Amino acid sequence: MVPTYAVIPTTAPTVIPTPTAPISTPDYSVIDLNNGAVKSLSYTVKSSGQSFSPVNITLQEDSELKNSLQSIINKYPAITQASIVAKDLSSGRGVVINGDYVYTAASAGKLFPAVFLLRMVDSGDLRSDNLFKGNGFGQLDMNQLLYHLLNGRGTNYYSESGQIWTFLKNMISLPTIQDSASAWQATSYNAEDNTITPRAMLDFLTQVEKSNILQGQTKSTLYNVLQNTNNDSLIAKGAQGYTTIHKWGLLSDTLVDTGLIQGKGKSVAVAIFTKGDTKNFAIFQEATREIVQKLIENISSNINTNPPGGNITPSNCKAKELDPYLPQPQHLDDNELCNDGSLAKLFSPSYTPANLVNLRTVLGSKYLLLEGLSENNQILVKDAMVNDLKKLLDYITDKYNQSGQSACIPAVAYGYRSFALQQQLYDKNNCIWDPETASSVVKDQYGKIPQNKQDRRWCGAGRPGGSTHQSGLAVDLYCAKLTCSDQSNCKIDLDYNRSIKQFLTNVEMNNFGFIKSLPQDTPHYEYFR
């Protein structure tokens, strides 16, 4: 039987992944949005025990910036009303211009149900691999649903003609959305009218970025969708060179663009609301870009400003002209994982992460741990990953530990590695650092970097101080074979031709909190939650 896969609309961007398993498998249960019975799902999240702790970052107004932005607004008479609110979420510095005016949120109001759906994933009421079925759009996975929800055109939440919005009303009611938005600090949001003040939108964005409103994976899912917005001529265009996560909305008399601008160790929440005849859209675009460029100048000129109560300057991939890896590990101790798999800065030789635990002590004898490869015959990891690692090992065992050639016994070889041990592996593997490819490669016969790029091969070990193993958040996972002549005489073989990567997709690994930032390092995985 040929498996049936989810319908992938042609309008979806290439970054939206297709389901990697047939719909018939239990892991991809289908939620029929035509069925009113699914409405009950939206209410279970309230009793799921999922906590939310608001974060308060007091805005310290920058009068000079406010005057500069007001001058920009005055240059555009076609804009009859404008509100700008922005806040540096590290220092609290920012600006409020007409922050309490009430506007129609347009499509920016879709952020609230999007966060609601993702919180249902965090709470366990939904799964990230659920498929959603509805008339007119076939079946969509969670990423695709969010993409069409946030970027689709002609899908008005308050109109029965909006397909996805109409079906989602079976799951989320307007009162539920309004109550949730208020709890998330968007206290002025009116779901019935879809109206909000810019100040309330700013407070909501602050929670999205800084609080525990979303967990690591679901926040990354939201950010990935918003980084692929269907209009990059606004905030994103004005913030070239920075990572922009934004949602825009357009009505006949209102243009809204709101989101986060990230770079150089800063994260700035922004909401820009303008009114006028938006038929002159080019004027509104130009004004938005100029406003954002002024904010960027302000970010750059205050790059050394330290957050209140501390003197830590965050390490940032932008200094290396790289974007941060998404999802970003949450316990990386004043460092950042970049999108090429490197760290923003090298760990010092003396750095040892806090909260390391011995896997044998916490997991017992059930699991195959190759402790002889590690220092003191112990595999240490940060305690934050233990529960998810155990679930992952159980999942692999249950799914693939069948008789015959398909058997896979998951084995953990390395966890935390000190700077000194990393140096030993680096030297043993004949490694040399290649700045051009930003990777460790095998030395040539003269002990240097091979001249031809095609001769530069990954040597199997990151440079000392540059490995996430030193953070305690990385593990090496292998597929082992156990050959026994009798019950007491067994031999463990690591089958390098049958890696974990062959058995599990990246989506499956992400479900347990693990990512693969270095595709060339087959057994290497990092924990991000």
Side-chain angles (χ1 to χ4, degrees):
M1 177 180 175
V2 177
T4 303
Y5 288 83
V7 176
I8 309 301
T10 56
T11 54
T14 56
V15 297
I16 302 299
T18 60
T20 55
I23 289 173
S24 57
T25 176
D27 289 340
Y28 279 79
S29 56
V30 179
I31 295 175
D32 188 347
L33 295 180
N34 299 292
N35 181 0
V38 301
K39 182 186 295 185
S40 61
L41 282 172
S42 67
Y43 302 122
T44 59
V45 74
K46 292 185 176 181
S47 59
S48 68
Q50 184 190 7
S51 62
F52 166 61
S53 303
V55 171
N56 180 37
I57 301 176
T58 303
L59 190 145
Q60 304 169 23
E61 192 150 43
D62 185 327
S63 57
E64 183 178 346
L65 175 61
K66 182 175 182 178
N67 292 336
S68 297
L69 294 176
Q70 188 64 62
S71 297
I72 293 173
I73 295 170
N74 295 340
K75 288 168 52 178
Y76 297 92
I79 298 176
T80 58
Q81 180 177 301
S83 295
I84 305 169
V85 291
K87 179 166 59 177
D88 182 331
L89 300 182
S90 296
S91 67
R93 294 178 64 257
V95 64
V96 176
I97 298 176
N98 301 327
D100 296 316
Y101 286 12
V102 177
Y103 292 82
T104 300
S107 289
K110 296 176 181 179
L111 288 169
F112 299 113
V115 169
F116 189 94
L117 282 175
L118 289 170
R119 277 177 64 83
M120 290 179 73
V121 174
D122 285 336
S123 70
D125 294 305
L126 289 178
R127 290 172 54 105
S128 60
D129 55 8
N130 280 136
L131 294 173
F132 297 84
K133 176 182 178 181
N135 292 339
F137 59 82
Q139 290 181 172
L140 305 175
D141 65 22
M142 179 68 77
N143 277 9
Q144 292 164 337
L145 185 78
L146 289 171
Y147 172 77
H148 289 285
L149 169 66
L150 294 170
N151 292 308
R153 301 183 185 223
T155 53
N156 189 330
Y157 179 77
Y158 307 100
S159 167
E160 291 302 314
S161 64
Q163 294 170 342
I164 293 179
W165 274 116
T166 299
F167 292 125
L168 283 178
K169 285 197 289 188
N170 286 326
M171 291 181 64
I172 312 173
S173 67
L174 292 178
T176 300
I177 292 175
Q178 182 162 323
D179 289 348
S180 299
S182 180
W184 303 333
Q185 307 303 293
T187 52
S188 72
Y189 183 63
N190 184 310
E192 189 69 43
D193 299 328
N194 192 28
T195 56
I196 195 170
T197 64
R199 191 191 299 271
M201 182 61 80
L202 185 76
D203 291 341
F204 167 67
L205 291 171
T206 300
Q207 303 310 313
V208 171
E209 172 64 6
K210 288 295 186 180
S211 78
N212 64 342
I213 190 172
L214 292 175
Q215 304 305 309
Q217 178 60 34
T218 51
K219 181 188 286 189
S220 297
T221 297
L222 178 66
Y223 283 11
N224 284 334
V225 173
L226 294 177
Q227 283 180 279
N228 290 281
T229 180
N230 58 6
N231 193 330
D232 278 342
S233 66
L234 299 168
I235 282 181
K237 186 73 172 180
Q240 287 184 322
Y242 286 74
T243 298
T244 52
I245 299 155
H246 72 122
K247 180 74 191 87
W248 76 295
L250 179 67
L251 300 172
S252 61
D253 65 345
T254 304
L255 175 65
V256 178
D257 203 7
T258 183
L260 298 163
I261 301 172
Q262 297 180 332
K264 298 185 178 179
K266 298 285 186 178
S267 184
V268 178
V270 181
I272 303 171
F273 289 68
T274 48
K275 291 182 73 70
D277 186 354
T278 57
K279 291 180 181 177
N280 300 315
F281 187 63
I283 294 175
F284 287 77
Q285 284 177 308
E286 184 179 346
T288 299
R289 291 198 295 264
E290 192 172 349
I291 289 167
V292 172
Q293 286 167 1
K294 177 56 68 175
L295 290 171
I296 292 295
E297 290 176 14
N298 185 266
I299 294 171
S300 300
S301 65
N302 291 281
I303 199 66
N304 292 322
T305 300
N306 287 314
N311 297 312
I312 297 175
T313 301
S315 301
N316 190 267
C317 295
K318 288 298 181 182
K320 300 168 62 175
E321 299 183 349
L322 296 169
D323 287 327
Y325 190 97
L326 293 176
Q328 182 66 207
Q330 300 297 302
H331 303 276
L332 207 45
D333 290 356
D334 190 30
N335 211 330
E336 192 172 53
L337 183 65
C338 304
N339 62 356
D340 67 347
S342 68
L343 291 168
K345 70 172 186 178
L346 297 178
F347 289 119
S348 71
S350 61
Y351 170 75
T352 301
N355 302 318
L356 290 175
V357 294
N358 185 339
L359 275 185
R360 180 62 67 195
T361 301
V362 295
L363 295 183
S365 59
K366 178 181 177 181
Y367 304 95
L368 183 54
L369 306 179
L370 307 180
E371 296 151 306
L373 299 175
S374 298
E375 293 167 290
N376 301 317
N377 295 321
Q378 293 181 341
I379 298 177
L380 305 178
V381 298
K382 274 203 169 182
D383 59 358
M385 81 154 70
V386 170
N387 287 336
D388 280 332
L389 178 60
K390 180 180 182 297
K391 292 176 184 177
L392 174 62
L393 297 176
D394 287 340
Y395 178 79
I396 297 170
T397 301
D398 293 343
K399 188 170 185 178
Y400 294 113
N401 193 15
Q402 307 294 326
S403 62
Q405 294 301 312
S406 63
C408 175
I409 300 172
V412 183
Y414 280 112
Y416 163 74
R417 284 203 297 253
S418 67
F419 187 100
L421 181 55
Q422 192 69 31
Q423 183 73 62
Q424 291 177 25
L425 291 173
Y426 191 76
D427 294 341
K428 179 182 177 182
N429 290 4
N430 200 30
C431 298
I432 188 170
W433 179 251
D434 177 18
E436 189 175 359
T437 60
S439 64
S440 303
V441 300
V442 179
K443 295 176 183 176
D444 66 14
Q445 58 183 323
Y446 305 106
K448 296 183 179 180
I449 300 170
Q451 287 189 343
N452 297 324
K453 274 192 177 182
Q454 59 267 31
D455 295 330
R456 298 176 193 175
R457 296 180 292 107
W458 164 248
C459 72
R463 60 176 167 168
S467 171
T468 49
H469 277 289
Q470 194 174 344
S471 73
L473 293 174
V475 289
D476 283 359
L477 300 176
Y478 293 95
C479 232
K481 284 184 176 180
L482 200 61
T483 306
C484 300
S485 58
D486 55 59
Q487 290 186 347
S488 61
N489 187 14
C490 294
K491 177 185 177 184
I492 298 172
D493 290 319
L494 293 182
D495 188 346
Y496 292 98
N497 294 318
R498 298 171 64 254
S499 66
I500 294 292
K501 185 179 179 181
Q502 290 178 283
F503 284 88
L504 296 186
T505 66
N506 285 339
V507 172
E508 286 176 296
M509 295 300 292
N510 289 169
N511 287 340
F512 292 96
F514 289 87
I515 52 176
K516 175 169 279 300
S517 68
L518 295 170
Q520 71 273 28
D521 194 349
T522 304
H524 181 89
Y525 290 92
E526 288 126 342
Y527 185 72
F528 67 82
R529 286 179 179 162

